[in-house]
Amino acid sequence: MPRQKREKSGTGIYHVMLRGINRQDIFEDDEDYLRMLDLLRLQTNRSESQGDRPSAFCRIYAFCLMSNHVHLLIGEESASVGDVVKRIGVAYASYFNRKYGRNGHLFQDRFKSEAVNSLEYFVTLLRYIHQNPVKAGLVSNVADYNWSSWQDFDHAGVNAPSICHTASVLNRIPISNLRELVNTPIDDQLGILDIDTDTQPSVSDNDIKSFLFERSGMANPLDIQTLPKEQRNELLQALKEFGGGVRQLSRITGVSYGIIQRI
């Protein structure tokens, strides 16, 4: 069966997750985490030349390195998200295999990704990515974790090496507001791409939106929340039967994961 084509982001921004094959650990010590940070930094600072002017492969807006997976919030620049992730994965796997005397794949064959097409979802992902270590019980506070981009945001404006493009975020959201958002626990049922999300939706987001428009004349999927409960549930059931995944429908319509799961 052919693989489903990745949905194209209208903003060029994607939430990406790289996972160790068979969920194995991909970071064993601090040196490993630091190597991954170096590779992320290379993607934001170097690329093939465009004339005499080199530009970054991508912008990284947020990241979190967990023991067996990596979350990235990436904006495409001179390279596609697929090329960026491939560069990171190949270089890190080569380093890891050489260091630990192993052979073969380190990462799950196909990285997971989702398009980020609204500022609201972008902010939700900023919160979610930085809260990963707290949710996993590794630290009590977001600021206590050493291997996420929150260090970049917390020290923005200080003369310290930064991987993330913090300015574009902080120009919209002051650090005091962002700090409050990031430290407010996020709803577990928002349907965000996660390490435990093993099943991929059978239809694309655009297919869902087209079906919804044809069925109800609804151009904005978020409008489904304004419908009477019975009508809303009937429409969501039709979307599920059409092939929409529960997390996918939650993300597109804004209806909670739990509600859609129970329908």
Coordinates of all heavy atoms in Angstrom, one line a residue, residues 73-110:
L73 N 9.5 22.3 15.9 CA 8.6 23.2 15.2 C 9.4 23.9 14.2 O 10.3 24.8 14.6 CB 8.0 24.1 16.2 CG 6.8 25.0 15.8 CD1 5.7 24.1 15.2 CD2 6.2 25.8 16.9
I74 N 9.3 23.6 12.9 CA 10.2 24.0 11.9 C 9.5 24.8 10.8 O 8.4 24.5 10.4 CB 10.8 22.8 11.1 CG1 11.8 22.0 12.1 CG2 11.5 23.2 9.9 CD1 12.4 20.8 11.4
G75 N 10.1 25.9 10.4 CA 9.7 26.7 9.2 C 10.6 26.5 8.1 O 11.9 26.7 8.2
E76 N 10.1 26.2 6.9 CA 11.0 25.9 5.8 C 11.6 27.2 5.3 O 11.0 28.3 5.3 CB 10.2 25.3 4.6 CG 9.7 23.9 4.9 CD 8.9 23.3 3.8 OE1 8.1 24.1 3.1 OE2 9.0 22.1 3.5
E77 N 12.9 27.2 4.9 CA 13.6 28.3 4.3 C 14.1 27.8 2.9 O 13.4 27.7 2.0 CB 14.7 28.8 5.2 CG 14.2 29.5 6.4 CD 13.7 30.9 6.1 OE1 14.2 31.5 5.2 OE2 12.8 31.4 6.9
S78 N 15.4 27.5 2.8 CA 16.0 27.1 1.5 C 15.8 25.6 1.2 O 16.1 25.2 0.2 CB 17.5 27.5 1.4 OG 18.2 26.8 2.4
A79 N 15.4 24.9 2.2 CA 15.2 23.4 2.0 C 13.8 23.0 2.5 O 13.2 23.7 3.4 CB 16.3 22.7 2.8
S80 N 13.4 21.9 2.0 CA 12.1 21.3 2.5 C 12.2 20.7 3.8 O 13.3 20.4 4.3 CB 11.6 20.3 1.5 OG 12.4 19.1 1.5
V81 N 11.1 20.6 4.5 CA 11.1 19.9 5.8 C 11.7 18.5 5.8 O 12.4 18.1 6.6 CB 9.7 20.0 6.5 CG1 8.7 19.1 5.7 CG2 9.8 19.5 8.0
G82 N 11.4 17.8 4.7 CA 11.9 16.4 4.5 C 13.4 16.4 4.4 O 14.1 15.6 5.0
D83 N 13.9 17.4 3.6 CA 15.4 17.4 3.5 C 16.1 17.8 4.8 O 17.1 17.3 5.1 CB 15.8 18.4 2.4 CG 15.5 17.9 1.0 OD1 15.3 16.7 0.8 OD2 15.4 18.8 0.1
V84 N 15.5 18.7 5.5 CA 16.1 19.1 6.8 C 16.1 17.9 7.8 O 17.1 17.7 8.4 CB 15.3 20.3 7.4 CG1 15.7 20.5 8.9 CG2 15.5 21.6 6.6
V85 N 15.0 17.2 7.9 CA 14.9 16.1 8.8 C 15.9 15.0 8.4 O 16.5 14.4 9.2 CB 13.5 15.6 9.0 CG1 13.4 14.3 9.8 CG2 12.6 16.7 9.6
K86 N 16.0 14.8 7.1 CA 16.9 13.8 6.6 C 18.3 14.1 7.0 O 19.1 13.2 7.4 CB 16.8 13.6 5.1 CG 17.6 12.5 4.5 CD 17.4 12.4 3.0 CE 18.3 11.3 2.4 NZ 18.1 11.2 0.9
R87 N 18.7 15.4 6.8 CA 20.1 15.8 7.1 C 20.4 15.5 8.6 O 21.4 15.0 9.0 CB 20.3 17.3 6.8 CG 20.5 17.6 5.4 CD 21.0 19.0 5.2 NE 21.1 19.4 3.8 CZ 20.1 20.0 3.1 NH1 19.0 20.4 3.7 NH2 20.3 20.3 1.8
I88 N 19.4 15.9 9.4 CA 19.6 15.8 10.9 C 19.7 14.3 11.2 O 20.6 13.8 12.0 CB 18.4 16.4 11.6 CG1 18.5 17.9 11.5 CG2 18.5 16.1 13.1 CD1 17.2 18.6 12.0
G89 N 18.8 13.5 10.7 CA 18.7 12.1 11.0 C 19.9 11.3 10.6 O 20.5 10.5 11.3
V90 N 20.4 11.5 9.3 CA 21.5 10.8 8.8 C 22.8 11.2 9.6 O 23.6 10.3 10.0 CB 21.7 11.1 7.3 CG1 23.1 10.6 6.8 CG2 20.6 10.5 6.5
A91 N 23.0 12.4 9.9 CA 24.2 12.9 10.6 C 24.2 12.4 12.0 O 25.3 11.9 12.5 CB 24.3 14.4 10.5
Y92 N 23.1 12.4 12.7 CA 23.1 12.0 14.1 C 23.2 10.5 14.2 O 23.9 9.9 15.0 CB 21.8 12.4 14.8 CG 21.8 12.1 16.2 CD1 22.6 12.8 17.1 CD2 21.2 10.9 16.7 CE1 22.7 12.5 18.5 CE2 21.3 10.6 18.1 CZ 22.0 11.4 18.9 OH 22.1 11.0 20.3
A93 N 22.5 9.7 13.3 CA 22.6 8.3 13.3 C 24.1 7.8 13.1 O 24.6 6.9 13.7 CB 21.7 7.6 12.3
S94 N 24.8 8.5 12.1 CA 26.2 8.2 11.9 C 27.0 8.4 13.1 O 27.8 7.5 13.5 CB 26.7 9.0 10.7 OG 28.0 8.8 10.5
Y95 N 26.8 9.5 13.8 CA 27.5 9.8 15.0 C 27.2 8.7 16.1 O 28.1 8.2 16.7 CB 27.2 11.2 15.5 CG 27.3 11.4 17.0 CD1 28.5 11.6 17.6 CD2 26.1 11.3 17.8 CE1 28.6 11.7 19.0 CE2 26.2 11.4 19.2 CZ 27.5 11.6 19.8 OH 27.6 11.8 21.2
F96 N 25.9 8.4 16.3 CA 25.5 7.5 17.4 C 26.0 6.1 17.1 O 26.6 5.5 18.0 CB 24.0 7.5 17.4 CG 23.4 6.9 18.6 CD1 23.1 7.6 19.8 CD2 23.1 5.5 18.6 CE1 22.6 6.9 20.9 CE2 22.5 4.9 19.7 CZ 22.3 5.6 20.8
N97 N 25.9 5.6 15.9 CA 26.4 4.3 15.6 C 27.9 4.1 15.7 O 28.4 3.1 16.2 CB 26.0 3.9 14.1 CG 24.5 3.6 14.0 OD1 23.8 3.5 15.0 ND2 24.0 3.4 12.8
R98 N 28.6 5.2 15.3 CA 30.1 5.2 15.5 C 30.5 5.2 17.0 O 31.3 4.4 17.4 CB 30.7 6.4 14.8 CG 32.2 6.4 14.7 CD 32.7 7.5 13.8 NE 32.2 8.8 14.2 CZ 31.3 9.5 13.5 NH1 30.7 9.0 12.4 NH2 31.0 10.7 13.9
K99 N 29.8 6.0 17.7 CA 30.1 6.1 19.2 C 29.8 4.8 19.9 O 30.6 4.4 20.8 CB 29.4 7.3 19.8 CG 29.6 7.4 21.3 CD 28.8 8.6 21.8 CE 29.0 8.7 23.3 NZ 28.3 9.9 23.9
Y100 N 28.7 4.2 19.6 CA 28.3 3.0 20.4 C 28.5 1.7 19.7 O 28.0 0.7 20.2 CB 26.8 3.2 20.8 CG 26.6 4.4 21.7 CD1 26.0 5.6 21.3 CD2 27.0 4.3 23.1 CE1 25.8 6.6 22.1 CE2 26.8 5.4 23.9 CZ 26.2 6.5 23.4 OH 26.1 7.6 24.3
G101 N 29.2 1.7 18.6 CA 29.6 0.5 17.9 C 28.4 -0.3 17.4 O 28.4 -1.5 17.5
R102 N 27.4 0.4 16.9 CA 26.2 -0.3 16.4 C 26.1 -0.1 14.9 O 26.7 0.8 14.3 CB 25.0 0.1 17.1 CG 24.5 1.5 16.9 CD 23.3 2.0 17.7 NE 22.1 1.2 17.4 CZ 21.3 1.5 16.4 NH1 21.6 2.5 15.5 NH2 20.2 0.8 16.2
N103 N 25.2 -0.8 14.2 CA 24.9 -0.7 12.8 C 23.4 -0.6 12.6 O 22.6 -0.9 13.5 CB 25.4 -1.9 12.0 CG 26.9 -2.0 12.1 OD1 27.6 -1.1 11.6 ND2 27.4 -3.1 12.6
G104 N 23.0 -0.1 11.5 CA 21.6 -0.1 11.1 C 20.9 1.2 11.4 O 21.5 2.2 11.8
H105 N 19.6 1.2 11.2 CA 18.7 2.3 11.4 C 18.7 2.7 12.9 O 18.6 1.9 13.8 CB 17.3 2.1 10.9 CG 17.3 1.9 9.4 ND1 17.6 2.9 8.5 CD2 17.0 0.8 8.7 CE1 17.4 2.4 7.3 NE2 17.1 1.2 7.4
L106 N 18.6 4.0 13.2 CA 18.5 4.5 14.5 C 17.1 5.1 14.7 O 16.5 4.9 15.8 CB 19.5 5.6 14.8 CG 19.4 6.3 16.2 CD1 19.6 5.3 17.4 CD2 20.3 7.5 16.3
F107 N 16.5 5.7 13.7 CA 15.2 6.3 13.8 C 14.2 5.5 13.0 O 14.5 4.8 12.1 CB 15.3 7.7 13.1 CG 16.1 8.7 13.9 CD1 17.4 9.0 13.4 CD2 15.7 9.3 15.1 CE1 18.2 9.9 14.1 CE2 16.5 10.2 15.7 CZ 17.7 10.5 15.2
Q108 N 12.9 5.6 13.5 CA 11.8 5.0 12.8 C 11.8 5.5 11.4 O 12.1 6.7 11.1 CB 10.5 5.4 13.5 CG 9.3 4.9 12.9 CD 8.1 5.2 13.7 OE1 7.9 4.8 14.9 NE2 7.2 6.1 13.2
D109 N 11.6 4.6 10.4 CA 11.8 4.9 9.0 C 11.2 6.3 8.5 O 11.9 7.1 7.9 CB 11.2 3.8 8.1 CG 12.1 2.6 8.1 OD1 13.2 2.7 8.6 OD2 11.6 1.5 7.7
R110 N 10.0 6.5 8.9 CA 9.3 7.7 8.4 C 8.9 8.6 9.5 O 8.2 8.3 10.4 CB 8.0 7.3 7.6 CG 7.5 8.5 6.8 CD 6.4 7.9 5.8 NE 6.0 8.9 4.8 CZ 4.8 9.5 4.8 NH1 3.9 9.1 5.6 NH2 4.5 10.3 3.8

